Each structure stands twice: as C-alpha cells, then as structure tokens.
Amino acid sequence: MRDFSSCFGENGVQVSDTSYSTVGAIKASQNSVTCVFRCKLLAKSCFISVVWSRNLMGQCVSIEIQDSSSHRCIFRVDVKPSLFSKRKGSKCLELHSTKVEICWDLSAAKFGSGPEPLEGYYIAVISKQEMVLLVGNLRKEAFKKTGAISLLPNTRFISKKEHISGKKVYCTKAQFCENGELHDLKIECNTTTSQYPSLSIQIDAKTVIRIDHLHWKFRGNCEINIDGLPVEVFWDVHNWLFGSGLGNAVFLFYANLSAHKMWNSEPIGDASCAALPWSWSCFQPIGESKVSGLGFSLILYAWKIG
C-alpha cells in the first residue's frame, strides 16, 4: 500500500464557493471514485460529494456541498497534488450566518491500486458542533480534532461512481447497504479473442451473471441477490463491441432498500437476464432518479485499454 505523501506533487489547496460543473466530471484517462451522501445541513437536505482521483500529476480529492433541490453548488474544496504540509487542513464558509467547516487529515492514508484510500484518514463536515458527515476510519481522531459532539442521524451513502480501466478484467470493491459486507466485484469481458464474445460478473469469486453471445445482448439487465437485498444490474458494452477508439462500458448496480421482496435464504444468488434495446443515455435518468430514492447505486465506467 502507498501512503498519501508519496502521491503528492506540487500544487496546493483551492477553494471556491461559486457554481461549478459536476464534481465527478473526470477525464477518461484518469482513475476516479465519486461518493455521494445525502445529509442534513442547517435543517435542509443537501448532497455532499467526495471525489478521489489520480492522474499523471498525482493524487487529488475534492469535496462539494450541493443543494439537493436546485443542484446548485454551495461550496467546494479541492485538495490537489501538493506539498506534504497540505495533507491535513480545514476550510470554513458562512451559510445563512452559520459557520460550516470542512476538515481533513490524509497524513496517514493508505492506498491500494485505486485512487480511494483504504484506511488511515478522515474527512468531516461540521456545523454547530454537529458532525454533518464523517468519511474514513479515524472517527475518534475526527471528533477530537473538530470538537464535534454528535453525529447527525439520517446521513446516507446513496451513490458511488467509479472510473476503472483494464484490458479484459475490471475489479473493485463494493458495499451495497449501510454497514453491509464489503464485497469483491469482478467484471470479465472477452471481446477480442473469441468468435462469440461473453461477459461475466463475479461477487466474492462466485459468478452471478454470465452473458454469452454478447453481440446480441450488449445491453441488458437482471436482478441478483446480495446480502438479502435485490440488486438490479444494468450493463451497456456497446462501445466495447462496436465503438471506435477509446470507449467505455457502463455498469449500474442498484440495491433497492425499499423493495418488499427480500431473499434471505441465500447470501448471493443468480437470476435470469434480459437483453434490452436501449443505450446508456436512456437509463442515465434511472440512475439519477434512484439516487434520490431509498436505494444505493454503484455506477462503474469501465475503460478498455491496450
């Protein structure tokens, strides 16, 4: 594992409170992870996005607070590749005459192969001595440093978007419900060495979805069971099969926490799949609408290289 200091380059911390494009807009050449949380800030609902990204310049993290009704950016902090002294810090804003503070400590952060740290860090948003959002495993250190007294309830992790790249195999880790088990997720797509392209999705080394004759079923969906929850899986690999140049496939995993049908007999189950005659642009609104519901959405943008 790499520590955070080995990832840093030469720029500093930038702060802006003006309107900004979506915090998850990342160049295709980068690896990035966007985590979206629904929180209560000053008794109003808001979205807080935390984006981890890595490019040739080094490691970056951005925190953005967005009004949930208008989707207008209220405040944004960018911690760009910087000197080691910038590994921890804080920034304040005043919202409706109330102080809101964003604090972070990445000095002991440990990284794996992706841009998101595995452990040894915290990012906190505090208002009126209440922890609006706390991300990372250093919870005691965060409360001690910020002076916060309590963690506000009803903060929910609602969406994760991840850009991953590979030649044939794409791996990540996913947690499909609050305090749920962290699963190993593996997507394998054979589009070049076989006359009949195929796609398989594994969770914890068990194949839960397998699609043969991918030329005919390059878009589709099915429902599987993870941790007793029905999880809808959508895929669109059209660009991999028929696109020109560098293109990406898209996979959407949606855990419907409000569904009445719960399968508790098996931890992970298979399901029949269907090919669908739509493109990713058609089910993008699905992902956006589900973010505002009771479920959790994992969206993977898989970039084929080589």
Side-chain angles (χ1 to χ4, degrees), residues 32-33 113-116 160-164 169-176 182-187 202-204 253 298-300:
S32 70
V33 176
S113 59
E116 185 180 18
K160 183 175 183 179
K161 300 178 183 179
E162 185 170 354
H163 290 252
I164 53 179
V169 178
Y170 305 83
C171 299
T172 187
K173 291 183 179 293
Q175 187 176 7
F176 293 93
L182 189 64
H183 296 280
D184 292 314
L185 194 157
K186 177 181 177 182
I187 298 170
Q202 297 181 16
I203 296 179
D204 297 332
F253 299 79
L298 170 65
I299 304 175
L300 299 178

Side-chain angles (χ1 to χ4, degrees), residues 94-121:
E94 189 170 296
L95 188 62
H96 303 304
S97 302
T98 303
K99 177 183 175 183
V100 178
E101 187 175 17
I102 299 177
C103 301
W104 64 90
D105 187 346
L106 310 170
S107 57
K110 301 294 182 182
F111 290 79
S113 59
E116 185 180 18
L118 303 174
E119 60 182 3
Y121 76 100

